């Protein structure tokens, strides 16, 4: 009887272990991720992940899609910001593939901020669920698959992108990867319809991640061929699809065609709009965001691992290079990679995952300015992919598989009858993976801050809006321009009006900052020039604009000039100095600018360098009197001077370090274009004496 009881106890423990490896463990990891990061990131629906920059921009795009579905007259590709420019949705990600969750919660009555938080949490949930199902289908047990899925969803590079919520939805990556892996392993072409479908979904969630997913699939393809050296691969694939039933062939062709056409249309729209506006990324900008070896040590927001990258001090755009996966993830993935040379049944999967990661690592690595990636960055469309470091979010697919393999190998080393040891091991893995997430320094912004921004703006509206009103918010000189732009975008969106304000990954040509002393006419004029509209049409648009000013300007806001300063105007500009004082190491003076020409003199330029003041000190004993020598200091001006009138500005110049008699000379310049004194304007000059050294 005792023996029977002992056997029953053993069987009960085995059943418990099987339950431990079931889908319930995935739920446990999901709950851990939610309470360690997800809910704290949204501060239990009282805050929004990230700052008041990109988070609010993503909110605007999601709200635009909601309004497009629920209101008549809204253009899909031309939201109400950057008005009246067209096609501005293609200036950045569009959220076509992920907006369903936001639209659902907005339809249920949630406000835009709560709907945004819900959308964010749905994305996290889909990521861990889909990656768990895929890793389990690859042959891993439930516990190991859950560990790998947790790594895929909550690795440090993912958390570091909390300000870029457009990168949240990655659930299609594991689904496309698994279909592709199945196709390669079985040498059947039929699963490729799922590859095409899920790749298309990822493109519609984020074009960035869609492109990186293509890199992942190419790397996986190379990995299978490197390790298996399959012969007659393509022949077997062709034969396999011929053998499929006719209804499967029709479905295969239909879904493949629809997915291809959908992605092609999306990329065509982006390419055509980009070409019409002349958008380009410079090679140097792309090189600055290519991963370096040091990038994989950076985790500045981790309380546990930030010290590891402390030695890295000379990396540009450091915030984009946060690619340290986490100590636990690295440890388990390295152990999983070692399985590739063992006798484990998982060795083939480990080999392919390892090769895939190494391929992507080497392909994108910037080693002292040398990179394989640079060769393809010149291809049409790929030059728009600026932040290549975000490929870490896709690299996590092979890394998460290696984490799962490493976890399973360790799990298998423990006697299945030793329930306590298994539970202790499971707890260690949870702590190893969860510690980085629990101690991560979350960055979010209170919803109250979002609301306060809008309340301040609405209080500035002193008159009712007409049906055709165009809103324009001019900001405070102390605020970054993107804050003002987003303030205006949300105000206009909430009030169902277009706005001249705009913020995105790109901007229309000649779009000057919304500073308090810059006129909204500059944006109207930029559009008129771009569209080659007559002055009368521009004036009609300008008459519809209502300015919401957060800070008053001391003078009339400036309307920018265009192009190179004309010599015929430069020669009629007269400078004079007054109220000169020498105070310790500085010379203070008032510079008067008289416009004797027949046209307004605008120091601001919409499509080129602004007009600026410059000065120099010439030692009266020096023989170096070259006309264009030693004009180094610059001072900006914000002036529009009407014909036959003048304006003045204060100058503060650092005195020469050596005592002596000098001529203090002042001129004007349009940098990169011409000096005014070379076009006929007289340099103003006054003698000064420097009596003491600094």
């Amino acid at each position: 009887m005792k023996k029977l009881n002992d056997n029953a106890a053993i069987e009960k423990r085995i059943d418990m272990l099987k339950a431990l490896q079931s889908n319930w463990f995935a739920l446990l990891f999901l709950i851990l991720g939610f309470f360690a990061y997800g809910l704290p990131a949204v501060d239990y629906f009282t805050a929004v992940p990230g700052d008041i920059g990109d988070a609010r921009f993503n909110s605007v795009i999601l709200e635009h899609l909601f309004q497009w579905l629920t209101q008549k007259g809204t253009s899909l590709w031309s939201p109400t910001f950057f008005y009246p420019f067209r096609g501005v949705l293609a200036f950045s990600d569009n959220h076509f593939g992920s907006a369903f969750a936001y639209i659902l919660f907005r339809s249920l009555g949630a406000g835009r901020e709560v709907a945004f938080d819900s959308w964010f949490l749905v994305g996290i949930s889909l990521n861990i669920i889909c990656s768990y199902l895929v890793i389990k289908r690859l042959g891993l047990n439930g516990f190991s698959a859950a560990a790998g899925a947790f790594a895929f969803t909550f690795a440090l590079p993912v958390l570091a992108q909390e300000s870029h919520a457009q990168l949240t939805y990655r659930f299609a990556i594991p689904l496309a990867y698994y279909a592709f892996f199945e196709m390669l392993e079985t040498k059947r072409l039929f699963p490729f319809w799922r590859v095409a479908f899920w790749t298309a979904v990822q493109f519609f969630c984020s074009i960035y991640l869609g492109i990186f997913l293509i890199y992942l699939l190419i790397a996986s393809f190379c990995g299978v061929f490197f390790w298996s050296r399959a012969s007659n691969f393509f022949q077997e694939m062709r034969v396999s699809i011929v053998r499929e039933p006719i209804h499967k062939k029709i479905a295969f062709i239909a879904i493949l065609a629809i997915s291809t056409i959908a992605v092609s249309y999306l990329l065509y729209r982006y390419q055509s709009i980009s070409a019409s506006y002349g958008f380009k990324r410079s090679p140097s900008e792309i090189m600055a965001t290519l991963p370096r070896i040091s990038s994989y040590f950076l985790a500045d927001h981790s309380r546990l691992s930030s010290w590891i990258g402390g030695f890295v001090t000379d990396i540009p755009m450091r915030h984009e290079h946060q690619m340290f996966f986490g100590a636990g993830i690295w440890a388990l993935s390295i152990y999983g990679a070692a399985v590739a040379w063992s006798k484990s049944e998982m060795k083939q999967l480990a080999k392919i995952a390892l090769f895939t990661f190494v391929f992507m690592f080497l392909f994108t690595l910037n080693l002292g300015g040398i990179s394989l990636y640079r060769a393809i960055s010149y291809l049409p469309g790929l030059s728009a992919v600026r932040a290549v470091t975000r490929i870490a979010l896709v690299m996590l697919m092979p890394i998460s598989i290696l984490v799962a393999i490493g976890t399973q190998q360790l799990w298998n080393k423990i006697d299945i009858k030793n329930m306590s040891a298994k539970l202790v091991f499971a707890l260690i893995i949870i702590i190893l993976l969860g510690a980085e997430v629990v101690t991560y320094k979350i960055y979010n912004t209170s919803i109250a801050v979002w609301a306060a921004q809008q309340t301040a703006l609405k209080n500035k509206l002193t008159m009712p809006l007409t049906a055709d009103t165009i809103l324009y918010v001019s900001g405070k000189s102390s605020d970054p321009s993107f804050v003002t732009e987003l303030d205006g975008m949300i105000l206009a969106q909430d009030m169902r009006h277009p706005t001249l304000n705009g913020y995105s990954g790109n901007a229309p040509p000649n779009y000057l900052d919304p500073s308090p002393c810059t006129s909204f006419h500059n944006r109207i004029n930029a559009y008129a020039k771009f569209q080659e509209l007559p002055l009368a049409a521009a004036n009609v648009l300008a008459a519809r604009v209502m300015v919401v000013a957060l800070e008053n300007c001391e003078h009339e806001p400036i309307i920018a000039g265009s192009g190179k300063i004309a010599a015929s105007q430069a020669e009629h500009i007269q400078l004079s100095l007054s109220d000169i004082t020498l105070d310790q190491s500085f010379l203070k003076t008032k510079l008067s600018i008289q416009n004797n020409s027949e046209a307004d003199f605008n120091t601001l330029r919409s499509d080129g360098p602004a007009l600026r003041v410059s000065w120099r000190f010439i030692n009266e004993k020096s023989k170096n009197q070259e006309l264009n020598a030693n004009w180094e200091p610059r001072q900006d001006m914000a002036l529009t001077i009407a014909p036959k009138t003048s304006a003045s500005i204060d100058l503060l110049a650092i005195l020469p370090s050596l005592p002596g008699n000098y001529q203090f000379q002042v001129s004007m310049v349009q940098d990169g274009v011409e000096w005014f004194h070379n076009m006929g304007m007289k340099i103003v000059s006054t003698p000064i004496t420097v009596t003491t050294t600094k």
Side-chain angles (χ1 to χ4, degrees):
M1 180 66 71
K2 182 180 179 183
K3 185 175 182 180
L4 289 174
N5 289 338
D6 289 344
N7 289 337
I10 292 173
E11 290 295 330
K12 186 177 180 180
R13 291 177 183 176
I14 292 174
D15 289 341
M16 289 178 66
L17 286 172
K18 289 180 178 178
L20 190 65
Q21 297 181 67
S22 71
N23 296 341
W24 290 104
F25 216 101
L27 180 61
L28 178 60
F29 269 107
L30 177 60
I31 292 172
L32 172 62
F34 255 67
F35 282 93
Y37 175 75
L39 290 175
V42 301
D43 200 10
Y44 297 86
F45 294 94
T46 63
V48 174
D51 55 20
I52 57 174
D54 278 4
R56 290 200 298 166
F57 169 71
N58 284 299
S59 169
V60 168
I61 300 301
L62 291 166
E63 182 68 15
H64 165 67
L65 296 179
F66 171 69
Q67 292 184 6
W68 176 72
L69 281 176
T70 58
Q71 297 177 22
K72 294 181 179 179
T74 304
S75 170
L76 176 61
W77 287 98
S78 298
T80 55
F81 55 88
F82 285 130
Y83 188 81
F85 285 94
R86 307 287 294 173
V88 299
L89 185 64
F91 287 8
S92 190
D93 269 320
N94 54 65
H95 295 307
F96 288 164
S98 65
F100 62 89
Y102 180 88
I103 292 169
L104 172 62
F105 288 105
R106 286 288 279 133
S107 299
L108 293 175
R112 69 187 299 153
E113 296 87 1
V114 172
F116 182 86
D117 284 350
S118 303
W119 167 85
F120 177 75
L121 294 177
V122 167
I124 290 175
S125 303
L126 288 174
N127 291 343
I128 194 168
I129 291 170
C130 292
S131 56
Y132 166 74
L133 293 175
V134 162
I135 296 173
K136 192 174 181 183
R137 290 291 297 272
L138 289 171
L140 283 300
N141 65 39
F143 171 63
S144 302
F150 187 85
F152 178 80
T153 307
F154 296 104
L156 289 177
V158 178
L159 307 189
Q161 295 293 342
E162 59 199 346
S163 292
H164 302 130
Q166 69 271 25
L167 303 173
T168 300
Y169 278 71
R170 300 182 297 129
F171 68 93
I173 292 172
L175 296 173
Y177 178 85
Y178 176 72
F180 193 70
F181 186 82
E182 181 185 350
M183 181 190 75
L184 296 178
E185 285 293 287
T186 62
K187 299 178 183 178
R188 291 177 61 240
L189 187 59
F190 187 70
F192 190 70
W193 74 264
R194 302 202 324 268
V195 179
F197 176 79
W198 290 118
T199 300
V201 169
Q202 189 58 64
F203 265 97
F204 277 81
C205 288
S206 168
I207 293 179
Y208 253 81
L209 297 183
I211 292 172
F212 293 153
L213 172 57
I214 297 295
Y215 298 163
L216 172 72
L217 298 180
I218 292 172
S220 301
F221 180 82
C222 295
V224 169
F225 271 78
F226 179 81
W227 291 113
S228 64
R229 294 178 174 84
S231 59
N232 300 323
F233 178 81
F234 294 104
Q235 175 67 16
E236 292 185 40
M237 295 275 278
R238 185 187 66 80
V239 172
S240 73
I241 197 64
V242 171
R243 291 173 178 170
E244 297 289 351
I246 186 65
H247 68 277
K248 285 192 173 183
K249 292 177 184 176
I250 293 173
F252 176 85
I253 294 172
I255 297 175
L256 193 62
I258 292 171
S259 301
T260 302
I261 291 170
V263 172
S264 298
Y265 170 75
L266 181 70
L267 297 180
Y268 166 76
R269 288 289 297 180
Y270 271 80
Q271 181 62 27
S272 61
I273 291 172
S274 177
S276 67
Y277 284 100
F279 296 146
K280 290 182 179 179
R281 300 283 189 191
S282 68
S284 60
E285 190 176 5
I286 295 172
M287 289 297 292
T289 60
L290 282 177
R292 305 165 185 217
I293 292 176
S294 56
S295 304
Y296 293 90
F297 292 90
L298 292 179
D300 292 340
H301 300 287
S302 170
R303 291 185 176 91
L304 292 180
S305 305
S306 58
W307 62 273
I308 295 175
F311 71 94
V312 182
T313 57
D314 59 345
I315 194 165
M317 300 187 71
R318 185 184 180 96
H319 65 284
E320 288 286 4
H321 287 261
Q322 305 293 307
M323 299 181 70
F324 182 74
F325 295 127
I329 291 175
W330 273 118
L332 288 170
S333 61
I334 291 172
Y335 187 78
V339 172
W341 289 273
S342 72
K343 295 181 180 180
S344 169
E345 60 183 8
M346 291 284 107
K347 68 177 183 179
Q348 186 68 7
L349 180 61
K351 286 179 179 179
I352 295 171
L354 177 61
F355 183 94
T356 302
F357 170 73
V358 172
F359 183 100
M360 298 177 75
F361 170 80
L362 295 176
F363 175 62
T364 57
L365 186 65
N366 179 358
L367 199 59
I370 300 173
S371 175
L372 294 172
Y373 187 86
R374 189 167 191 169
I376 71 160
S377 66
Y378 295 98
L379 295 176
L382 292 185
S383 60
V385 179
R386 178 182 60 87
V388 185
T389 49
R390 295 175 187 176
I391 200 169
L393 304 182
V394 179
M395 282 180 171
L396 279 166
M397 188 67 250
I399 287 293
S400 64
I401 292 171
L402 292 173
V403 166
I405 292 173
T407 301
Q408 182 158 305
Q409 287 298 109
L410 291 170
W411 176 275
N412 291 340
K413 290 181 181 297
I414 302 173
D415 184 1
I416 193 170
K417 297 178 182 179
N418 192 339
M419 182 68 175
S420 299
K422 291 282 191 183
L423 289 175
V424 169
F425 173 74
L427 182 61
I428 291 173
I429 294 298
I430 291 173
I431 294 174
L432 194 61
L433 293 176
E436 295 273 24
V437 181
V438 171
T439 59
Y440 179 79
K441 292 182 285 187
I442 292 172
Y443 180 38
N444 56 22
T445 304
S446 170
I447 289 176
V449 172
W450 283 35
Q453 297 283 110
Q454 292 306 301
T455 300
L457 288 176
K458 290 175 181 177
N459 290 339
K460 292 282 186 177
L461 294 173
T462 56
M463 62 182 70
L465 306 181
T466 60
D468 66 345
T469 297
I470 303 170
L471 290 170
Y472 173 69
V473 174
S474 66
K476 299 177 182 178
S477 54
S478 59
D479 287 344
S481 61
F482 72 86
V483 173
T484 302
E485 303 287 20
L486 286 161
D487 285 345
M489 291 162 68
I490 295 175
L491 175 69
Q493 197 171 56
D494 286 347
M495 304 194 75
R496 309 297 192 263
H497 279 272
T499 177
L500 299 179
N501 294 105
Y503 170 79
S504 190
N506 291 290
N510 308 323
Y511 229 59
L512 299 179
D513 285 345
S515 62
C517 290
T518 302
S519 173
F520 73 87
H521 284 277
N522 295 310
R523 299 197 167 184
I524 297 291
N525 293 343
Y527 174 73
K529 182 177 180 180
F530 182 77
Q531 294 290 88
E532 299 181 349
L533 296 180
L535 178 62
N539 290 338
V540 169
L541 282 171
R544 295 167 51 194
V545 175
M546 176 184 290
V547 177
V548 183
L550 293 176
E551 178 179 293
N552 293 326
C553 184
E554 296 179 354
H555 51 78
E556 191 71 18
I558 300 169
I559 299 176
S562 179
K564 177 182 176 180
I565 181 68
S568 58
Q569 184 173 47
E571 65 182 359
H572 288 96
I573 302 300
Q574 182 180 348
L575 306 180
S576 59
L577 297 171
S578 61
D579 301 333
I580 299 174
T581 60
L582 274 61
D583 181 11
Q584 296 181 347
S585 300
F586 298 97
L587 179 150
K588 299 177 182 178
T589 185
K590 187 176 291 294
L591 174 69
S592 178
I593 306 168
Q594 176 75 31
N595 177 19
N596 293 322
S597 72
E598 301 298 325
D600 285 349
F601 179 67
N602 299 306
T603 61
L604 196 62
R605 281 295 183 270
S606 63
D607 55 354
L611 312 183
R612 307 164 79 189
V613 173
S614 183
W615 58 86
R616 65 179 180 177
F617 292 89
I618 298 295
N619 193 314
E620 291 185 346
K621 295 182 179 180
S622 173
K623 296 182 180 180
N624 182 12
Q625 300 288 334
E626 293 181 22
L627 190 62
N628 292 327
N630 303 323
W631 298 97
E632 294 180 3
R634 298 285 191 275
Q635 182 168 315
D636 292 321
M637 301 176 288
L639 299 172
T640 294
I641 307 175
K644 313 304 179 184
T645 63
S646 65
S648 61
I649 61 171
D650 293 325
L651 292 185
L652 182 66
I654 299 175
L655 290 170
S657 58
L658 298 177
N661 296 320
Y662 293 86
Q663 287 290 325
F664 175 63
Q665 299 182 337
V666 180
S667 184
M668 298 179 68
V669 63
Q670 186 175 18
D671 282 312
V673 179
E674 191 58 89
W675 288 93
F676 277 46
H677 55 251
N678 289 339
M679 294 187 288
M681 186 194 78
K682 292 183 179 179
I683 296 172
V684 62
S685 182
T686 187
I688 64 159
T689 300
V690 178
T691 57
T692 58
T693 58
K694 290 188 285 187

